[in-house]
Amino acid sequence: MSELPPGEVLQTSWNGEIIFIRRLTNTEIKDTVALPKTTELDKAFEMNQITPAGNSSILCCSAICTHLGCIPVPYLGAYKGWVCLCHGSVYDKFGRVRQGPAQANLPYINNSVFG
Ligand code: FES
């Protein structure tokens, strides 16, 4: 994980589940925090789901779209988070859904196990 550069996303599996690990730069965090609340479809995200790691921070979340289970593609869309190409759901860099049909964020994975 320490080899994952800031700003990059790794898709891997953990405990039989496909997950994303995203190393966010401080600028990405600042920009994502500043996004409008009005387009946040699921308000359940909490900042403690992001873990500081040196000059960057780590987000671990499920790689399964909360609509019908496809794997969203990172770096795409207006928020450069993820876009699910199956039906067009859009997630920001925190995995917060910004455009449906999905209505729930990419589920958070407790990343304390990754150090
Ligand atoms: Fe992702 Fe439908 S499965 S938008």
Side-chain angles (χ1 to χ4, degrees):
M1 172 123 73
S2 60
E3 295 176 14
L4 182 65
E8 298 293 322
V9 178
L10 172 71
Q11 180 182 318
T12 185
S13 65
W14 180 69
N15 270 355
E17 187 174 352
I18 306 169
I19 66 169
F20 291 122
I21 301 172
R22 181 168 219 137
R23 185 180 293 276
L24 294 147
T25 66
N26 292 335
T27 301
E28 287 178 312
I29 290 175
K30 194 176 85 182
D31 292 349
T32 306
V33 165
L35 291 173
K37 298 281 180 213
T38 49
T39 54
E40 214 176 288
L41 302 184
D42 174 0
K43 314 281 188 200
F45 178 82
E46 294 179 22
M47 280 307 288
N48 65 5
Q49 294 174 210
I50 294 174
T51 304
N55 288 334
S56 57
S57 297
I58 300 288
L59 168 76
C60 294
C61 62
S62 170
I64 305 299
C65 177
T66 57
H67 178 225
L68 292 176
C70 291
I71 298 177
V73 179
Y75 314 119
L76 299 183
Y79 306 97
K80 306 290 185 221
W82 289 269
V83 171
C84 184
L85 300 178
C86 289
H87 312 100
S89 292
V90 176
Y91 300 88
D92 66 22
K93 290 180 178 177
F94 292 170
R96 298 180 297 187
V97 63
R98 293 276 171 178
Q99 178 185 305
Q103 294 296 305
N105 298 336
L106 294 176
Y108 165 65
I109 306 289
N110 184 338
N111 64 18
S112 61
V113 294
F114 297 104

PDB file of all heavy atoms in Angstrom, residues 65-70 72 84-89 91 100-102, ligand 1:
ATOM      1  N   CYS A  65     -20.780  -1.214  -6.982  1.00  0.00           N
ATOM      2  CA  CYS A  65     -21.771  -0.141  -7.094  1.00  0.00           C
ATOM      3  C   CYS A  65     -23.015  -0.518  -6.316  1.00  0.00           C
ATOM      4  O   CYS A  65     -23.496  -1.660  -6.386  1.00  0.00           O
ATOM      5  CB  CYS A  65     -22.117   0.080  -8.569  1.00  0.00           C
ATOM      6  SG  CYS A  65     -23.398   1.323  -8.843  1.00  0.00           S
ATOM      7  N   THR A  66     -23.540   0.457  -5.574  1.00  0.00           N
ATOM      8  CA  THR A  66     -24.686   0.173  -4.712  1.00  0.00           C
ATOM      9  C   THR A  66     -26.007   0.130  -5.483  1.00  0.00           C
ATOM     10  O   THR A  66     -27.056  -0.089  -4.875  1.00  0.00           O
ATOM     11  CB  THR A  66     -24.779   1.215  -3.578  1.00  0.00           C
ATOM     12  OG1 THR A  66     -24.871   2.522  -4.165  1.00  0.00           O
ATOM     13  CG2 THR A  66     -23.567   1.137  -2.665  1.00  0.00           C
ATOM     14  N   HIS A  67     -25.960   0.320  -6.798  1.00  0.00           N
ATOM     15  CA  HIS A  67     -27.181   0.159  -7.580  1.00  0.00           C
ATOM     16  C   HIS A  67     -27.422  -1.332  -7.827  1.00  0.00           C
ATOM     17  O   HIS A  67     -28.215  -1.947  -7.136  1.00  0.00           O
ATOM     18  CB  HIS A  67     -27.094   0.954  -8.902  1.00  0.00           C
ATOM     19  CG  HIS A  67     -28.299   0.795  -9.762  1.00  0.00           C
ATOM     20  ND1 HIS A  67     -28.211   0.562 -11.106  1.00  0.00           N
ATOM     21  CD2 HIS A  67     -29.620   0.829  -9.458  1.00  0.00           C
ATOM     22  CE1 HIS A  67     -29.449   0.458 -11.603  1.00  0.00           C
ATOM     23  NE2 HIS A  67     -30.302   0.623 -10.613  1.00  0.00           N
ATOM     24  N   LEU A  68     -26.689  -1.915  -8.762  1.00  0.00           N
ATOM     25  CA  LEU A  68     -26.913  -3.329  -9.073  1.00  0.00           C
ATOM     26  C   LEU A  68     -25.620  -4.142  -9.095  1.00  0.00           C
ATOM     27  O   LEU A  68     -25.604  -5.245  -9.640  1.00  0.00           O
ATOM     28  CB  LEU A  68     -27.660  -3.474 -10.415  1.00  0.00           C
ATOM     29  CG  LEU A  68     -29.112  -2.988 -10.421  1.00  0.00           C
ATOM     30  CD1 LEU A  68     -29.699  -3.089 -11.824  1.00  0.00           C
ATOM     31  CD2 LEU A  68     -29.969  -3.786  -9.427  1.00  0.00           C
ATOM     32  N   GLY A  69     -24.552  -3.582  -8.546  1.00  0.00           N
ATOM     33  CA  GLY A  69     -23.387  -4.412  -8.300  1.00  0.00           C
ATOM     34  C   GLY A  69     -22.274  -4.418  -9.325  1.00  0.00           C
ATOM     35  O   GLY A  69     -21.377  -5.255  -9.234  1.00  0.00           O
ATOM     36  N   CYS A  70     -22.291  -3.537 -10.294  1.00  0.00           N
ATOM     37  CA  CYS A  70     -21.152  -3.449 -11.213  1.00  0.00           C
ATOM     38  C   CYS A  70     -19.953  -2.829 -10.496  1.00  0.00           C
ATOM     39  O   CYS A  70     -20.072  -2.335  -9.383  1.00  0.00           O
ATOM     40  CB  CYS A  70     -21.520  -2.596 -12.428  1.00  0.00           C
ATOM     41  SG  CYS A  70     -22.735  -3.358 -13.523  1.00  0.00           S
ATOM     42  N   PRO A  72     -17.527   0.226 -10.481  1.00  0.00           N
ATOM     43  CA  PRO A  72     -17.325   1.563 -11.057  1.00  0.00           C
ATOM     44  C   PRO A  72     -15.875   1.764 -11.501  1.00  0.00           C
ATOM     45  O   PRO A  72     -14.947   1.129 -10.989  1.00  0.00           O
ATOM     46  CB  PRO A  72     -17.676   2.503  -9.894  1.00  0.00           C
ATOM     47  CG  PRO A  72     -18.485   1.678  -8.950  1.00  0.00           C
ATOM     48  CD  PRO A  72     -17.951   0.280  -9.080  1.00  0.00           C
ATOM     49  N   CYS A  84     -19.977   4.556 -12.626  1.00  0.00           N
ATOM     50  CA  CYS A  84     -20.400   3.195 -12.938  1.00  0.00           C
ATOM     51  C   CYS A  84     -20.981   3.212 -14.342  1.00  0.00           C
ATOM     52  O   CYS A  84     -21.997   3.866 -14.601  1.00  0.00           O
ATOM     53  CB  CYS A  84     -21.432   2.701 -11.924  1.00  0.00           C
ATOM     54  SG  CYS A  84     -21.864   0.979 -12.226  1.00  0.00           S
ATOM     55  N   LEU A  85     -20.327   2.509 -15.228  1.00  0.00           N
ATOM     56  CA  LEU A  85     -20.714   2.560 -16.635  1.00  0.00           C
ATOM     57  C   LEU A  85     -21.964   1.742 -16.932  1.00  0.00           C
ATOM     58  O   LEU A  85     -22.543   1.868 -18.010  1.00  0.00           O
ATOM     59  CB  LEU A  85     -19.546   2.088 -17.512  1.00  0.00           C
ATOM     60  CG  LEU A  85     -18.267   2.931 -17.381  1.00  0.00           C
ATOM     61  CD1 LEU A  85     -17.162   2.363 -18.256  1.00  0.00           C
ATOM     62  CD2 LEU A  85     -18.526   4.397 -17.726  1.00  0.00           C
ATOM     63  N   CYS A  86     -22.392   0.917 -15.987  1.00  0.00           N
ATOM     64  CA  CYS A  86     -23.587   0.099 -16.248  1.00  0.00           C
ATOM     65  C   CYS A  86     -24.826   0.960 -16.429  1.00  0.00           C
ATOM     66  O   CYS A  86     -25.566   0.801 -17.389  1.00  0.00           O
ATOM     67  CB  CYS A  86     -23.782  -0.907 -15.115  1.00  0.00           C
ATOM     68  SG  CYS A  86     -22.532  -2.213 -15.161  1.00  0.00           S
ATOM     69  N   HIS A  87     -25.053   1.888 -15.492  1.00  0.00           N
ATOM     70  CA  HIS A  87     -26.261   2.717 -15.578  1.00  0.00           C
ATOM     71  C   HIS A  87     -25.989   4.183 -15.258  1.00  0.00           C
ATOM     72  O   HIS A  87     -26.899   4.972 -15.095  1.00  0.00           O
ATOM     73  CB  HIS A  87     -27.353   2.184 -14.648  1.00  0.00           C
ATOM     74  CG  HIS A  87     -27.581   0.710 -14.769  1.00  0.00           C
ATOM     75  ND1 HIS A  87     -27.052  -0.204 -13.883  1.00  0.00           N
ATOM     76  CD2 HIS A  87     -28.240  -0.006 -15.720  1.00  0.00           C
ATOM     77  CE1 HIS A  87     -27.378  -1.429 -14.266  1.00  0.00           C
ATOM     78  NE2 HIS A  87     -28.096  -1.336 -15.375  1.00  0.00           N
ATOM     79  N   GLY A  88     -24.725   4.546 -15.094  1.00  0.00           N
ATOM     80  CA  GLY A  88     -24.379   5.966 -15.003  1.00  0.00           C
ATOM     81  C   GLY A  88     -24.261   6.576 -13.628  1.00  0.00           C
ATOM     82  O   GLY A  88     -24.189   7.807 -13.514  1.00  0.00           O
ATOM     83  N   SER A  89     -24.239   5.797 -12.577  1.00  0.00           N
ATOM     84  CA  SER A  89     -24.073   6.403 -11.253  1.00  0.00           C
ATOM     85  C   SER A  89     -22.697   7.062 -11.147  1.00  0.00           C
ATOM     86  O   SER A  89     -21.710   6.562 -11.683  1.00  0.00           O
ATOM     87  CB  SER A  89     -24.226   5.348 -10.153  1.00  0.00           C
ATOM     88  OG  SER A  89     -25.557   4.895 -10.105  1.00  0.00           O
ATOM     89  N   TYR A  91     -19.858   8.830  -8.481  1.00  0.00           N
ATOM     90  CA  TYR A  91     -19.367   8.934  -7.100  1.00  0.00           C
ATOM     91  C   TYR A  91     -18.213   9.928  -7.069  1.00  0.00           C
ATOM     92  O   TYR A  91     -17.419  10.010  -8.001  1.00  0.00           O
ATOM     93  CB  TYR A  91     -18.855   7.572  -6.612  1.00  0.00           C
ATOM     94  CG  TYR A  91     -19.887   6.468  -6.613  1.00  0.00           C
ATOM     95  CD1 TYR A  91     -20.098   5.679  -7.734  1.00  0.00           C
ATOM     96  CD2 TYR A  91     -20.647   6.201  -5.467  1.00  0.00           C
ATOM     97  CE1 TYR A  91     -21.042   4.656  -7.738  1.00  0.00           C
ATOM     98  CE2 TYR A  91     -21.592   5.182  -5.457  1.00  0.00           C
ATOM     99  CZ  TYR A  91     -21.776   4.411  -6.600  1.00  0.00           C
ATOM    100  OH  TYR A  91     -22.708   3.404  -6.589  1.00  0.00           O
ATOM    101  N   GLY A 100     -27.552   9.295  -9.377  1.00  0.00           N
ATOM    102  CA  GLY A 100     -28.075   7.935  -9.418  1.00  0.00           C
ATOM    103  C   GLY A 100     -27.968   7.330 -10.796  1.00  0.00           C
ATOM    104  O   GLY A 100     -27.370   7.917 -11.671  1.00  0.00           O
ATOM    105  N   PRO A 101     -28.524   6.137 -10.902  1.00  0.00           N
ATOM    106  CA  PRO A 101     -29.562   5.537 -10.062  1.00  0.00           C
ATOM    107  C   PRO A 101     -29.119   5.048  -8.679  1.00  0.00           C
ATOM    108  O   PRO A 101     -29.977   4.847  -7.817  1.00  0.00           O
ATOM    109  CB  PRO A 101     -30.087   4.358 -10.893  1.00  0.00           C
ATOM    110  CG  PRO A 101     -28.952   4.001 -11.787  1.00  0.00           C
ATOM    111  CD  PRO A 101     -28.238   5.290 -12.090  1.00  0.00           C
ATOM    112  N   ALA A 102     -27.850   4.801  -8.425  1.00  0.00           N
ATOM    113  CA  ALA A 102     -27.463   4.392  -7.069  1.00  0.00           C
ATOM    114  C   ALA A 102     -27.895   5.473  -6.079  1.00  0.00           C
ATOM    115  O   ALA A 102     -27.880   6.668  -6.406  1.00  0.00           O
ATOM    116  CB  ALA A 102     -25.949   4.177  -7.011  1.00  0.00           C
TER     117      ALA A 102
HETATM  118 FE1  FES B   1     -23.870   0.836 -11.099  1.00  0.00          FE
HETATM  119 FE2  FES B   1     -26.329   0.384 -12.045  1.00  0.00          FE
HETATM  120  S1  FES B   1     -24.897  -1.072 -11.290  1.00  0.00           S
HETATM  121  S2  FES B   1     -25.273   2.258 -11.924  1.00  0.00           S
END
